[in-house]
Amino acid sequence: NKAKEEHLNYLYEKIQDANQFRIIKREGYTAFGLLLLFKDKNEFHSLRNFLVENRVFPSFLWPNNMIEYKWRYFLNLHVDYRYDINDMDYIISVIMKWLEKK
């Protein structure tokens, strides 16, 4: 969990909420990964596909969840011990490229 916590804190400093997504974080809690929450299914799929095209492989959490909230599509990016800060920088750069296209 130490690597995951370090990676998440690094990402939280570099990536902010955007019109397309919110970053889910809770003080004092180490999340499963970098959790991005979307309200628009097309935006969710757009970033997910863009990440995969750039060799970043997120997981889609709870795909059949029929919740009736405005923000309801969760995208998880793995940030555990298998990765390092260079990988975090790469993830940041891919997300920023996607946001620049918006």
Side-chain angles (χ1 to χ4, degrees), residues 20-74:
Q20 297 83 357
F21 61 79
R22 299 288 178 259
I23 298 168
I24 304 302
K25 58 185 172 183
R26 191 170 74 193
E27 192 69 33
Y29 176 77
T30 302
F32 181 71
L34 179 65
L35 289 173
L36 304 179
L37 179 61
F38 292 78
K39 64 180 170 184
D40 185 274
K41 191 174 186 177
N42 292 327
E43 295 285 6
F44 164 82
H45 284 295
S46 174
L47 178 56
R48 183 173 183 234
N49 291 337
F50 191 75
L51 288 164
V52 171
E53 288 168 10
N54 287 278
R55 303 188 48 77
V56 176
F57 302 102
S59 58
F60 175 20
L61 301 179
W62 309 287
N64 295 318
N65 193 354
M66 302 304 286
I67 59 175
E68 295 300 323
Y69 296 115
K70 188 174 186 178
W71 294 82
R72 61 180 169 177
Y73 303 100
F74 284 96

Side-chain angles (χ1 to χ4, degrees), residues 11-26:
L11 290 166
Y12 293 155
E13 289 177 14
K14 307 286 183 182
I15 300 175
Q16 305 300 317
D17 288 345
N19 290 333
Q20 297 83 357
F21 61 79
R22 299 288 178 259
I23 298 168
I24 304 302
K25 58 185 172 183
R26 191 170 74 193

